């Protein structure tokens, strides 16, 4: 048992810091999902659970928009949100996505989405039960935000 524990500790030491806690929400992502769930509760809609696989894809999407300097719901590599989920074998019965660029805070993002009828409808749609949020900041401090909502 001591050897196994020692091996695990060594593995954690040798892993790049970027891999440790790679799927934990932090800062802006956590703030945005909290604001979304507060909005859902205010509309008598069940809160979204965090789906770590979908979170990974939302982060990929935000990074892709940042790296390639484009802003579109369709990925250059993986296609639309449904095609993306299918490529990564993530089960779902329905999917939708909201994206944002240039909004500095999670509050700015949700305010913009609430003021856009289609985005607002996604936020409070009870068919969606889980979600993933991705955030990326480019070299010019321009933020890219992705919300992928799924029904399972």
């Amino acid at each position: 048992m001591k050897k196994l524990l020692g091996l695990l500790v060594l593995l954690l030491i040798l892993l790049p810091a970027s891999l440790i806690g790679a799927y934990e929400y932090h800062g802006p992502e956590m703030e945005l999902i909290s604001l979304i769930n507060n909005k859902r509760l205010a509309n008598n809609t069940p809160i979204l659970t965090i789906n770590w696989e979908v979170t990974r894809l939302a982060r990929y999407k935000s990074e892709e928009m940042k790296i390639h300097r484009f802003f579109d719901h369709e990925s250059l590599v993986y296609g639309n949100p449904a095609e993306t989920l299918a490529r990564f074998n993530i089960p779902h019965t329905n999917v939708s996505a909201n994206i944002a660029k240039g909004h500095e805070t999670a509050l700015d993002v949700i305010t913009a989405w609430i003021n856009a009828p289609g985005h607002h409808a996604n936020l409070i749609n009870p068919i969606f039960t889980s979600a993933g949020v991705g955030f990326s900041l480019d070299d010019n401090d321009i933020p890219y935000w992705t919300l992928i909502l799924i029904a399972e």
Side-chain angles (χ1 to χ4, degrees), residues 17-138:
S18 62
L19 294 178
I20 299 172
Y23 294 105
E24 293 179 10
Y25 272 148
H26 58 279
E29 293 171 338
M30 188 69 231
E31 188 177 352
L32 184 57
I33 199 72
S34 295
L35 290 168
I36 291 166
N37 278 332
N38 287 340
K39 178 68 176 164
R40 288 175 69 88
L41 285 173
N43 283 274
N44 296 317
T45 307
I47 64 169
L48 298 165
T49 59
I50 297 168
N51 181 309
W52 296 112
E53 293 174 302
V54 176
T55 295
R56 179 181 55 158
L57 297 182
R59 287 177 175 169
Y60 287 168
K61 176 65 180 157
S62 291
E63 281 291 309
E64 178 187 42
M65 290 189 295
K66 172 186 89 172
I67 291 168
H68 296 287
R69 300 191 187 280
F70 80 105
F71 183 68
D72 195 302
H73 284 89
E74 188 153 327
S75 167
L76 298 173
V77 177
Y78 301 113
N80 66 43
E83 292 167 336
T84 302
L85 291 173
R87 284 179 177 236
F88 286 89
N89 298 313
I90 298 174
H92 65 285
T93 59
N94 205 332
V95 60
S96 194
N98 289 0
I99 59 174
K101 174 185 172 187
H103 299 283
E104 292 186 16
T105 68
L107 184 58
D108 294 339
V109 172
I110 196 164
T111 300
W113 287 345
I114 288 169
N115 290 321
H119 288 107
H120 184 246
N122 285 342
L123 294 176
I124 61 172
N125 189 336
I127 194 170
F128 298 120
T129 56
S130 61
V133 172
F135 171 81
S136 187
L137 195 61
D138 76 8

